[in-house]
Amino acid sequence: MGKEKFDYEKFKKEAIEGLLSGKGMSGSDNVLLPLFKDFLEGALDGEMDTHLKDSEEPDRRNGHNRKRVKTDQGSFELETPRDRNGDFEPELIRKRQTVIGEAFENRILSLYAKGLSYADIQGHLLDLYGMDVSVGKLSAITDKVIPLIQQWQGRRLEAVYSIIWLDAMHFKVRENGQVVSKAVYIILGYTMEGQKDLLGMYISERESARFWLNVLTDLQNRGLQDILIACMDNLKGFTEAVESLFPQADIQLCIIHQIRNSFKYVTWKDRKEFNQELKLIYQASNLAEAELSMNQFEEKWKQKYPLVIKSWRNNWHYLTRFFDYSKHLRRIMYTTNTIEGFNRQIRRVTKRKGAFSSDMALMKILYLAQQEITKQWKSKPPYWGQVKQELIIKFEERCGQVT
């Protein structure tokens, strides 16, 4: 037997009578609940239609389940459709969900976290549920994450991080009627137990030593006492800020970034040979072998590419720190692949955006995106047991004294 069709005329008559008798439009006496109930059941039926259409296996409707649900408008018995195969999972109201409102907002936040604009979300809700939700309402819902952002930004950190990466991404933000570029400073690291952790994200006008100093000071205020190894690109202010607040940190500049910067000056016909000879430097078995290869590299190319040679020589100390460590730790250290992988995931979310309306609009989507990304951070890097042992032996005093 099919679901009884909603009698709008009957509902209208009963609602008017209810209002005349003193009932309201909220709470247990809400005269609008029957209409809300019918809307929800219609939306669930629409989800079922989509499910059946997209199902790869033969499937059909199989009646309804009933459950009592609570809303901020009152409670009522809801009929939810079921299918013969039993694999229908409604999104608007989950199978075991008995409270409505919060889950709907979470659905909007989930769509926003995937990079959908307010207009995209409006279209999605209208197509799937027949709901026309205003931009103001959507903005108000996403604003509810602001206290969570503030809490996350102030959370306590580990006292010691074995390795951290520092990087910056750039986004367009509207400010005072103009579109400006903002740098988002990102700090990602591994704890001593090999757990990946996003320590923070900070928005600034531009990259500078002064702002990096502010960032690292904030990390200290949140409990960070020591960094064993800091990996970064050779951008302005990075090394100076780290050495100022964490003078014992072993700083490693990214080899891959150094090579990319070198290739800006190298002609196409020289690139293959140039790259092969660079490999002899950073793939050397030890520092002495690397220095020998660097001397040969310099002798061959110094006349044709003096700026490249000068850059390698100026950064040599920071480019070769990884030779002090075993092969398992070297692979982690000498590139910024770890943080660049995170950046790529962020870009997949933000790529549809033009300019963000404010710093907070940018931070909202960054926060929601990182929430989804960091859920997957469960495994440790390969051979972490050996890596941890190596770090403890090398930095025993610092690891033991920090509390």
Side-chain angles (χ1 to χ4, degrees):
M1 186 174 177
K3 180 176 176 293
E4 184 179 347
K5 186 177 180 180
F6 183 73
D7 188 339
Y8 182 75
E9 291 301 322
K10 180 182 177 183
F11 156 75
K12 186 167 67 171
K13 180 180 178 182
E14 291 177 350
I16 292 172
E17 290 175 352
L19 289 172
L20 290 173
S21 66
K23 292 183 178 181
M25 291 187 289
S26 63
S28 58
D29 290 334
N30 187 353
V31 297
L32 300 180
L33 272 182
L35 185 61
F36 186 43
K37 166 182 161 70
D38 182 68
F39 158 73
L40 290 176
E41 290 174 348
L44 290 170
D45 281 336
E47 284 196 58
M48 175 62 82
D49 290 340
T50 301
H51 170 75
L52 295 177
K53 184 177 67 174
D54 296 341
S55 178
E56 296 180 359
E57 301 291 332
D59 200 1
R60 60 187 176 85
R61 291 176 176 270
N62 189 31
H64 292 79
N65 289 321
R66 290 179 176 83
K67 63 180 178 182
R68 179 153 288 275
V69 296
K70 298 177 182 178
T71 76
D72 54 2
Q73 303 299 317
S75 63
F76 54 87
E77 191 174 75
L78 183 72
E79 294 187 28
T80 60
R82 63 189 180 203
D83 63 327
R84 178 65 65 181
N85 293 344
D87 56 3
F88 172 54
E89 293 286 347
E91 294 184 15
L92 182 60
I93 305 170
R94 302 289 182 180
K95 281 186 175 179
R96 294 175 181 82
Q97 180 187 341
T98 57
V99 179
I100 301 172
E102 182 180 347
F104 177 68
E105 292 182 355
N106 288 341
R107 177 61 180 160
I108 290 174
L109 291 176
S110 176
L111 293 171
Y112 191 71
K114 290 179 172 62
L116 272 69
S117 67
Y118 287 147
D120 293 333
I121 296 172
Q122 280 181 311
H124 176 87
L125 297 176
L126 189 61
D127 290 343
L128 193 55
Y129 305 122
M131 298 179 67
D132 188 8
V133 183
S134 69
V135 170
K137 176 64 174 176
L138 294 175
S139 179
I141 290 172
T142 59
D143 280 348
K144 291 187 177 182
V145 305
I146 293 176
L148 300 179
I149 293 173
Q150 294 168 340
Q151 183 180 8
W152 179 78
Q153 289 173 325
R155 78 195 189 284
R156 297 293 292 177
L157 300 174
E158 296 283 329
V160 182
Y161 281 83
S162 57
I163 310 171
I164 67 163
W165 288 265
L166 302 95
D167 202 1
M169 302 177 70
H170 296 85
F171 300 91
K172 298 297 183 182
V173 178
R174 291 189 182 90
E175 192 173 83
N176 299 323
Q178 295 182 326
V179 174
V180 298
S181 180
K182 292 289 184 82
V184 176
Y185 294 77
I186 298 169
I187 303 92
L188 185 152
Y190 280 118
T191 67
M192 288 301 298
E193 299 305 317
Q195 179 60 51
K196 194 185 294 185
D197 185 17
L198 181 63
L199 284 69
M201 296 185 292
Y202 302 80
I203 299 176
S204 176
E205 295 286 348
R206 62 187 67 84
E207 296 177 46
S208 66
R210 184 184 215 175
F211 195 81
W212 269 116
L213 199 62
N214 292 337
V215 167
L216 293 172
T217 299
D218 181 68
L219 299 182
Q220 279 189 330
N221 293 337
R222 290 163 54 201
L224 176 59
Q225 296 180 29
D226 200 3
I227 299 167
L228 303 185
I229 301 170
C231 306
M232 61 196 77
D233 187 11
N234 189 25
L235 295 177
K236 183 180 179 181
F238 277 39
T239 55
E240 294 91 337
V242 173
E243 288 179 328
S244 175
L245 293 183
F246 299 97
Q248 291 182 292
D250 209 351
I251 297 175
Q252 171 67 47
L253 295 184
C254 176
I255 295 287
I256 304 303
H257 277 88
Q258 180 72 21
I259 292 171
R260 288 174 186 166
N261 291 334
S262 298
F263 277 159
K264 293 177 183 178
Y265 303 95
V266 179
T267 62
W268 279 103
K269 70 181 183 66
D270 288 338
R271 287 196 172 196
K272 184 176 180 181
E273 184 180 4
F274 198 86
N275 188 49
Q276 288 174 341
E277 294 179 12
L278 280 176
K279 284 183 179 179
L280 296 177
I281 299 173
Y282 66 84
Q283 292 183 353
S285 58
N286 54 47
L287 181 58
E289 184 181 328
E291 287 176 337
L292 178 60
S293 296
M294 182 64 210
N295 290 337
Q296 294 171 345
F297 180 79
E298 179 178 7
E299 186 63 28
K300 180 173 181 177
W301 299 105
K302 64 181 179 182
Q303 297 299 325
K304 195 169 186 179
Y305 301 114
L307 291 180
V308 173
I309 301 302
K310 181 180 179 181
S311 177
W312 277 84
R313 285 304 187 189
N314 288 344
N315 298 325
W316 185 252
H317 174 73
Y318 294 120
L319 288 169
T320 57
R321 301 311 302 147
F322 69 94
F323 284 115
D324 289 346
Y325 300 89
S326 70
K327 63 180 181 180
H328 300 311
L329 194 44
R330 287 184 190 184
R331 290 193 184 101
I332 302 174
M333 283 179 62
Y334 75 70
T335 74
T336 53
N337 287 347
T338 302
I339 197 167
E340 287 186 351
F342 172 79
N343 292 351
R344 281 193 296 273
Q345 290 177 287
I346 291 290
R347 288 293 186 197
R348 279 200 287 269
V349 173
T350 59
K351 65 182 180 181
R352 348 179 148 195
K353 302 289 185 180
F356 290 88
S357 59
S358 65
D359 285 1
M360 183 51 70
L362 171 58
M363 184 54 73
K364 283 193 296 186
I365 196 166
L366 292 177
Y367 170 77
L368 290 169
Q370 70 82 25
Q371 288 285 89
E372 295 299 316
I373 294 168
T374 56
K375 284 179 184 177
Q376 313 303 319
W377 290 355
K378 297 177 182 178
S379 60
K380 299 178 182 179
Y383 306 102
W384 187 258
Q386 293 175 247
V387 168
K388 180 181 176 182
Q389 181 176 250
E390 179 182 350
L391 291 172
I392 291 175
I393 291 171
K394 185 174 180 64
F395 301 106
E396 179 180 7
E397 184 177 341
R398 288 158 66 187
C399 294
Q401 286 185 353
V402 175
T403 58

